Amino acid sequence: NIKTLQLIAELNISRSKPDVAQRALSDAKLIMESLDARFRQMPRILKAQGVNSYWLGKIEMDRLRWTEAAIHMNRYRHFSEEPVRSSPNDPDGWLELSYAVTTQASVAMGGRDFIVAAEAFSKAIELKTKLLQDAPDSASVAYDLSNSISWLARAKAALGLLADARN
């Protein structure tokens, strides 16, 4: 069962057993990839695939394996884009996409790819600004937006774009 494997993985991540977690996540990924195409497009399967990709990427981030982390985080973003396409008025879909883009930016920062990081943080800011316009009282989105702005400044500073970083 996909959900059971995801829970096993999250439990083992919390117990600092990334190898066990990675095996459970890889097994869940294989199950989801073996599903008929029409089932893979179901919202709950897309969400499960996104969660799976996130955790596989997080394990690689913790190991400082940036190339491998980027592969999984790109998949996370892909699976987060699909619900936005099918339900463009669902703020939860947009929020998940903003998290996926922010995570991509974090991986790029870790891998010292500051151009990609700056582009991804800019996209995350765009998404979070849209979310904040739709829900102006959301403290968590406001915090996430300010955090992304701060990280964009760091990425631009790393590129030597100090004037841009100050703005």
Side-chain angles (χ1 to χ4, degrees):
N1 178 323
I2 298 165
K3 187 77 170 160
T4 302
L5 290 167
Q6 297 276 96
L7 290 171
I8 289 169
E10 290 179 31
L11 177 67
N12 281 290
I13 288 169
S14 72
R15 291 181 175 172
S16 299
K17 296 180 180 179
D19 293 334
V20 176
Q22 191 172 32
R23 279 193 298 277
L25 289 166
S26 295
D27 289 348
K29 181 177 177 245
L30 286 173
I31 291 169
M32 288 184 280
E33 288 174 346
S34 71
L35 294 173
D36 185 85
R38 66 176 175 233
F39 292 116
R40 286 195 309 266
Q41 295 304 310
M42 294 173 65
R44 66 186 173 92
I45 299 298
L46 287 169
K47 184 173 178 90
Q49 288 176 308
V51 169
N52 180 277
S53 296
Y54 168 80
W55 282 114
L56 285 166
K58 177 73 170 92
I59 289 169
E60 298 299 352
M61 285 175 69
D62 291 345
R63 292 174 173 162
L64 306 179
R65 293 170 52 175
W66 303 111
T67 301
E68 294 83 355
I71 291 167
H72 295 296
M73 294 312 183
N74 289 341
R75 286 176 46 87
Y76 173 34
R77 180 174 178 171
H78 167 76
F79 292 123
S80 298
E81 288 172 336
E82 291 300 316
V84 168
R85 277 195 266 281
S86 62
S87 299
N89 295 322
D90 179 14
D92 291 336
W94 287 101
L95 185 61
E96 192 66 36
L97 179 57
S98 78
Y99 292 154
V101 171
T102 300
T103 306
Q104 279 186 306
S106 298
V107 169
M109 285 293 285
R112 304 187 57 76
D113 189 344
F114 302 118
I115 293 171
V116 170
E119 290 170 356
F121 281 125
S122 293
K123 179 65 177 178
I125 289 167
E126 177 187 321
L127 292 168
K128 290 170 185 168
T129 299
K130 176 195 179 317
L131 285 162
L132 199 55
Q133 288 170 347
D134 294 343
D137 296 330
S138 175
S140 64
V141 173
Y143 172 80
D144 288 345
L145 175 59
S146 65
N147 193 42
S148 291
I149 292 169
S150 172
W151 277 102
L152 174 60
R154 290 178 194 176
K156 289 195 174 198
L159 290 167
L161 303 172
L162 298 179
D164 287 350
R166 282 189 209 105
N167 295 329

